[in-house]
Amino acid sequence: MRILLRFLSFCSLWLISYAAIAGNTFATQRLQRMASHMTNIPFEKLEKGINNSYTHNGYPINIRVNQWNEVEHIGYTYFTEEQRTVMPSPIYDFIERYTLDLDLPNEISAIERMRIDHFIIEIGSLQDLHKLDTNYSMRVYSSQFKRYRVCWSLEDKQVLSLLFDMDYQVLSGCDAIELESNFLRKARRFKRPADTPLMPLPYELDKCTDNYYIEEGSNYIISAIRNDLFYFKDSTGVWSLLCNSSKPYWSAFNMMLSPDSIGKFTIDVNFDKYGYQTELFTIPACDLVLMAKMMGCTPYFAVKTRTQNSIKGTLFMPNPDQGYCHMLTVEIPIDIMNARKGVIQGRLFVYVPLHNISDHYFEFQNIPHRKRKK
């Protein structure tokens, strides 16, 4: 009988532990802290997707659970799904979460937190947010990498205006250390969506009489940091992205900028973390580019130096809507270009803040302005 009781006790503990493991977790520490003050909501049992049947202080709240069973958003409900779809922006989650968080217990007063975070109410009050409906028109103004101004009007009269920096630590509710951890988790579990479409070939190729074609993109900060792609027509007349050691510069751009696979290239990433810590992970080069694009970043590449055996350069992945840039310095062996498979060595810095950096800071003297090399 005693053995049976022990067995039943063990099973009960195991089931409790299993239930805890099987329940939802939280995407960020801030969301977990917020949830701890909202004990009437069973966060661990919420279904995937949007949960909007709960309230706080009498106001409806919006909770979203992602595919990994993580609560990734908690906030007051101000914006409709139609608004989010028609005009995607990071401000929706931020304003909903930030204003709810201000109403929850904290060691620092709401006014002091807003002062620290540079969150300014120019017109109206936060209570006005709860009055918004489809009669109000909303406009979002932004200066790239700098700040947002969000304004609401009723009958051409502005009733509410919010101003805040494009500071991703504030927008996400995470400090630098947690952002690095979240990026690493995202990179390690990233899987290319099955319905990811291939990049279409440039329509200009139909008229091109040469065997090479440059699809000109744009530049970032200086003209040497670009996102051009380079195409080649083979002997059968078929066009594809160039990857050949006879044109290492062009090939390096394609290898580092294409979200589609042009070969089995992987990057051994030395992930540079806060406090002089590093961590290693490996990811296909095209998956890193696709992941960056899905995060809202626009990749650019620049060649720094070339030796007989390798090309060194930097992949810049700025996010103009969230005020940061990921930067990956790479060394690409030239001999892997012909083989269309091999390992690239890289060192990665993530979420480098740009909202408070002067444009004159970026004086990349080590990347000279040069004509396109092949």
Side-chain angles (χ1 to χ4, degrees):
M1 186 66 177
R2 184 177 298 173
I3 295 174
L4 178 60
L5 289 173
R6 286 182 178 177
F7 175 76
L8 292 174
S9 177
F10 170 80
C11 289
S12 298
L13 290 172
W14 184 85
L15 287 172
I16 291 172
S17 300
Y18 179 80
I21 294 172
N24 296 325
T25 57
F26 294 89
T28 70
Q29 296 172 20
R30 184 176 297 272
L31 293 175
Q32 185 173 19
R33 184 192 63 77
M34 291 174 63
S36 70
H37 295 295
M38 306 169 74
T39 55
N40 61 313
I41 301 175
F43 287 97
E44 72 283 353
K45 297 179 181 179
L46 296 179
E47 296 182 354
K48 292 179 183 177
I50 298 170
N51 296 263
N52 53 13
S53 59
Y54 299 95
T55 62
H56 182 77
N57 288 343
Y59 299 115
I61 61 172
N62 181 17
I63 306 168
R64 194 171 63 246
V65 180
N66 65 24
Q67 61 180 312
W68 294 285
N69 294 105
E70 296 169 342
V71 177
E72 66 176 14
H73 176 58
I74 307 171
Y76 284 127
T77 303
Y78 301 134
F79 307 103
T80 66
E81 288 306 306
E82 182 181 5
Q83 282 178 290
R84 292 170 176 267
T85 302
V86 172
M87 188 177 67
S89 174
I91 63 119
Y92 303 124
D93 279 4
F94 167 66
I95 293 175
E96 289 185 346
R97 189 207 75 242
Y98 188 81
T99 53
L100 172 58
D101 196 17
L102 289 176
D103 285 345
L104 297 174
N106 196 290
E107 296 178 357
I108 305 175
S109 70
I111 293 177
E112 180 64 11
R113 289 164 66 187
M114 290 167 61
R115 186 191 68 79
I116 293 172
D117 296 333
H118 297 167
F119 185 91
I120 299 170
I121 305 171
E122 297 182 304
I123 299 173
S125 70
L126 291 183
Q127 285 301 111
D128 292 330
L129 282 165
H130 297 295
K131 304 174 185 177
L132 300 176
D133 56 30
T134 54
N135 293 316
Y136 292 79
S137 61
M138 184 185 77
R139 291 200 171 186
V140 179
Y141 305 90
S142 66
S143 54
Q144 284 194 345
F145 304 109
K146 298 300 182 183
R147 61 189 57 85
Y148 279 105
R149 174 177 279 113
V150 187
C151 305
W152 289 265
S153 299
L154 182 64
E155 297 178 352
D156 296 328
K157 179 183 179 182
Q158 199 168 104
V159 295
L160 179 62
S161 178
L162 305 177
L163 180 69
F164 47 90
D165 287 345
M166 207 177 285
D167 180 347
Y168 193 63
Q169 290 190 32
V170 176
L171 294 178
S172 66
C174 303
D175 62 19
I177 295 175
E178 187 176 7
L179 284 177
E180 290 170 350
S181 298
N182 290 347
F183 184 95
L184 188 59
R185 182 173 73 241
K186 184 189 295 285
R188 283 177 166 162
R189 71 186 181 190
F190 181 80
K191 292 184 179 178
R192 178 176 292 261
D195 58 350
T196 304
L198 294 176
M199 284 193 309
L201 292 173
Y203 67 87
E204 292 89 350
L205 295 179
D206 295 334
K207 308 173 187 176
C208 185
T209 57
D210 195 358
N211 288 334
Y212 296 96
Y213 177 77
I214 301 173
E215 184 180 23
E216 293 194 6
S218 56
N219 67 286
Y220 174 58
I221 303 174
I222 62 174
S223 60
I225 305 174
R226 302 191 57 81
N227 53 15
D228 302 336
L229 292 174
F230 302 86
Y231 291 85
F232 166 72
K233 182 168 63 175
D234 65 19
S235 57
T236 64
V238 175
W239 286 95
S240 62
L241 286 170
L242 175 69
C243 188
N244 193 296
S245 61
S246 65
K247 292 181 171 50
Y249 284 89
W250 289 4
S251 298
F253 269 78
N254 287 344
M255 292 165 68
M256 299 312 304
L257 293 175
S258 173
D260 296 340
S261 174
I262 60 172
K264 295 181 179 179
F265 300 115
T266 58
I267 306 176
D268 281 352
V269 180
N270 191 358
F271 187 48
D272 202 291
K273 300 167 64 178
Y274 187 83
Y276 303 103
Q277 302 294 313
T278 59
E279 197 160 346
L280 301 176
F281 71 92
T282 299
I283 187 171
C286 59
D287 281 3
L288 179 63
V289 175
L290 179 61
M291 187 179 83
K293 284 177 169 286
M294 292 174 67
M295 294 173 70
C297 302
T298 302
Y300 300 85
F301 186 64
V303 173
K304 183 178 178 181
T305 60
R306 180 200 167 175
T307 66
Q308 185 176 355
N309 300 316
S310 68
I311 280 183
K312 292 182 179 180
T314 301
L315 178 66
F316 297 86
M317 296 169 277
N319 188 321
D321 295 326
Q322 301 189 36
Y324 66 77
C325 182
H326 306 312
M327 294 188 293
L328 176 74
T329 60
V330 295
E331 183 171 3
I332 306 171
I334 292 177
D335 61 5
I336 69 174
M337 294 176 179
N338 287 340
R340 287 186 176 256
K341 64 179 180 180
V343 178
I344 300 165
Q345 299 298 322
R347 185 181 183 188
L348 178 64
F349 302 84
V350 297
Y351 296 110
V352 178
L354 301 177
H355 72 281
N356 57 357
I357 298 178
S358 167
D359 293 336
H360 299 296
Y361 177 84
F362 295 101
E363 298 292 341
F364 291 99
Q365 301 299 334
N366 57 341
I367 305 179
H369 295 241
R370 55 165 71 93
K371 294 181 180 179
R372 289 191 184 94
K373 293 188 178 181
K374 300 179 180 181

